[in-house]
Amino acid sequence: MDALERYVRAGLELAGEEVDDIDIAVIRAADAVYGPALAALDAADLSEVLPETDLDPSRPPRPL
Amino acid sequence: MTGHPQDLPLREQTAAIAAGDLDPAELLDATLERIAERDTDLNSIAATFPDESRRMVEEAPAGPLHGVPIAVKDMFALPWRAPRDGSDYEQIPKGESGVYRLLRDAGAVIVGVTNMHFWGGGSTGHVSAYGPVGNPWSTDHCGGGSSGGSAAAVGARIVAGAVGTDGGGSIRLPAAYCGVTGLKGTHGAVPLVGYTHRFSSLGSMGPICRDAADARLLGEVLYERALQPGGAAGLCVGIVRDPFWNDIDPEIERACRDALDAAGWATEDVELMGAEHARAAIVLRLTLEALPAVHPEEVAGADPLMRALLKYEKLLPARHLMKADRIRALLRRELKQAFERVDVIAWPTVPAPAPPIADTTVELPSGPSPADPANVGQSGIGNLAGIPGISVPVGTHSSGLPMALQLQAAWGREPVLLDAAEHLERATSRRFVDALPPMAAAAAA
């Protein structure tokens, strides 16, 4: 059992979810597709980017 | 009148009705007949309701869409039908959605609800309780998603106008696949009442039509404002090469470049800091915004693939979403600055033509990829930002499938996009907006 499967089984068990082999296979495939982009986002240094606390997608952002 | 009335564009249908040359009741009957004869392989229409449609004809007020049939995506409550969202379940109660009221008050006749990707969760349209949505250019290829039925119905000349929704590209992507014009409005331009995904900070509505003039007509009704035509010859177009032109089918890249060249616009390279993370940010926002809206009984009834994906979403660390929102803030600021220098930004709507329904992998220069991540990478930034965007047909691939260019503008600047789209149509001699898919060409012949 690799790290991904251990993470999935443990995480879903903690959430009270059952896990079967289909779940593992699908999640492995999804992680292969989206995992690298999510990891790159996770690794990005965004400490200087201020959040938009009054987000209104219908308008441009307010000046900082 | 000779020929089938659904071979006319929307504006000519309305003009013919106003002139007394076309009877709305006959137009509705002809449209229902066309659905019956042409939609069998396409599967673009999830349901019709002739009695209710006929009642709308009888009660139609004078208005800009008086008497013309419009199809709406199955995400809007109608007084006689609860929307299903591509599932077996009624997602919200039936009633008068904002879109229904706008269309009714404009005199339109809702002729059917369109098929769509299950829960709006894909760009291919091949997963739906009503069966996969086909492509009018090749019915064993994907019509797209999630508003695939709306785009396919317009492309097949079943209806001249349809309403779609776009939470991650769901108007623009199927419009590109089906060779029609799809306009995603600025976020919040259409009332959210009676919309299944009204919780979304990403979703927006808009018209799907054959060309920009028809999209302007239907868009004015949906957005409740005049979308006045203006000149587009002097536009300045921002080219955001990285990442949006990086991994594109060579024929599509060439068609989009040729279209921009034909338009004769000034172009300027634009860099958007954070754009490399737009795909991850939109995927996180799209999936996690929807998660609380999923009914437990639906999870139990969902197919194993969907159940597993929902479990995957539950395992995504919360810090990812916080980072996604910082990227969203960064991109919105970057785009605001960019639109101070350029009128629109441009890149291919989809990186590859519609894949087969049997295998939704697309071939990119970097190698094969599932269609969804490739597509949403081209479209999601517009949803994160809330800006309007339009997909315009600009070519036919050697596979016989359409190719399209996407243009996006600053908040509220839908008229500029429509002007630009019409300019592109003229610059390409209307070859691609007037092209008939084989199923329609055979009937016309």
Side-chain angles (χ1 to χ4, degrees):
Chain A
M1 193 183 296
D2 63 7
L4 182 133
E5 186 169 347
R6 287 198 301 275
Y7 176 76
V8 171
R9 289 191 182 279
L12 290 174
E13 187 180 342
L14 277 171
E17 299 265 5
E18 293 180 1
V19 190
D20 59 27
D21 289 344
I22 295 175
D23 293 331
I24 298 293
V26 171
I27 291 172
R28 190 181 296 285
D31 192 63
V33 171
Y34 295 106
L38 294 175
L41 175 66
D42 197 26
D45 179 4
L46 302 175
S47 57
E48 301 296 318
V49 178
L50 293 177
E52 202 176 349
T53 53
D54 56 352
L55 173 71
D56 177 358
S58 69
R59 298 177 185 282
R62 292 177 198 272
L64 287 172
Chain B
M1 169 168 297
T2 59
H4 195 287
Q6 281 302 349
D7 291 333
L8 298 173
L10 193 63
R11 57 192 177 281
E12 291 185 24
Q13 291 181 19
T14 59
I17 289 170
D21 296 332
L22 183 58
D23 177 67
E26 291 176 13
L27 173 59
L28 172 62
D29 286 344
T31 306
L32 291 167
E33 284 169 19
R34 180 156 275 192
I35 291 170
E37 74 192 25
R38 192 169 283 186
D39 202 42
T40 47
D41 293 338
L42 198 60
N43 207 22
S44 66
I45 304 291
T48 58
F49 20 74
D51 290 345
E52 286 80 5
S53 299
R54 290 193 179 100
R55 194 172 309 126
M56 288 192 83
V57 170
E58 290 161 8
E59 297 173 358
L65 296 176
H66 178 75
V68 296
I70 300 291
V72 299
K73 189 177 183 181
D74 199 7
M75 296 181 94
F76 298 104
L78 303 175
W80 57 86
R81 189 178 193 280
R84 266 70 159 187
D85 235 0
S87 78
D88 286 325
Y89 296 80
E90 295 183 349
Q91 298 288 325
I92 56 174
K94 59 189 173 186
E96 292 191 356
S97 58
V99 162
Y100 166 76
R101 287 179 191 156
L102 291 166
L103 292 172
R104 177 199 61 194
D105 294 349
V109 176
I110 299 176
V111 67
V113 291
T114 56
N115 197 0
M116 56 175 286
H117 200 107
F118 187 78
W119 285 346
S123 68
T124 50
H126 78 293
V127 180
S128 166
Y130 298 88
V133 181
N135 190 301
W137 292 82
S138 168
T139 53
D140 59 2
H141 284 71
C142 292
S146 62
S147 311
S150 295
V154 171
R157 282 17 181 198
I158 287 172
V159 289
V163 178
T165 70
D166 189 319
S170 288
I171 287 175
R172 294 159 288 159
L173 302 172
Y177 275 2
C178 293
V180 298
T181 299
L183 173 65
K184 168 203 174 291
T186 303
H187 181 83
V190 178
L192 297 177
V193 62
Y195 168 48
T196 55
H197 288 203
R198 60 199 176 284
F199 52 80
S200 172
S201 73
L202 305 162
S204 187
M205 293 77 161
I208 298 180
C209 295
R210 289 175 207 172
D211 62 13
D214 276 2
R216 194 185 299 270
L217 175 60
L218 182 50
E220 286 186 336
V221 168
L222 295 174
Y223 305 141
E224 297 180 273
R225 68 181 180 115
L227 303 173
Q228 292 288 353
L235 294 185
C236 182
V237 178
I239 304 295
V240 191
R241 295 185 195 283
D242 188 17
F244 303 111
W245 292 81
N246 277 353
D247 197 14
I248 306 294
D249 175 281
E251 286 187 54
I252 292 181
E253 181 180 358
R254 192 176 324 118
C256 289
R257 289 191 187 287
D258 288 350
L260 289 170
D261 288 346
W265 290 320
T267 60
E268 181 179 318
D269 281 347
V270 170
E271 289 185 22
L272 298 175
M273 236 189 330
E276 71 274 22
H277 298 302
R279 178 178 1 218
I282 186 67
V283 168
L284 285 163
R285 263 272 148 216
L286 268 176
T287 55
L288 297 178
E289 279 189 355
L291 209 47
V294 176
H295 301 290
E297 63 270 26
E298 278 192 287
V299 178
D303 70 60
L305 175 69
M306 287 304 303
R307 266 206 313 272
L309 286 173
L310 287 168
K311 290 176 182 175
Y312 175 58
E313 291 164 12
K314 289 181 181 177
L315 291 170
L316 293 169
R319 69 178 185 279
H320 286 178
L321 185 60
M322 297 297 100
K323 287 213 156 179
D325 284 352
R326 296 241 174 168
I327 289 294
R328 185 179 199 178
L330 175 61
L331 288 171
R332 280 170 48 80
R333 291 177 190 127
E334 289 283 294
L335 284 163
K336 183 184 178 190
Q337 283 186 1
F339 288 129
E340 289 168 2
R341 304 199 314 275
V342 300
D343 298 294
V344 299
I345 50 177
W347 57 78
T349 313
V350 289
I357 289 170
D359 177 4
T360 57
T361 302
V362 294
E363 290 297 329
L364 301 177
S366 62
S369 167
D372 278 348
N375 287 339
V376 80
Q378 297 295 106
S379 55
I381 187 172
N383 303 87
L384 289 168
I387 56 175
I390 195 166
S391 181
V392 186
V394 294
T396 305
H397 194 262
S398 57
S399 61
L401 294 161
M403 304 188 284
L405 177 71
Q406 176 181 207
L407 303 169
Q408 296 178 93
W411 297 261
R413 298 202 76 198
E414 286 87 347
V416 173
L417 294 176
L418 291 162
D419 294 342
E422 286 189 276
H423 183 83
L424 273 173
E425 291 169 9
R426 285 192 294 272
T428 53
S429 308
R430 294 189 57 87
R431 282 197 304 285
F432 308 113
V433 288
D434 287 341
L436 284 175
M439 62 163 55

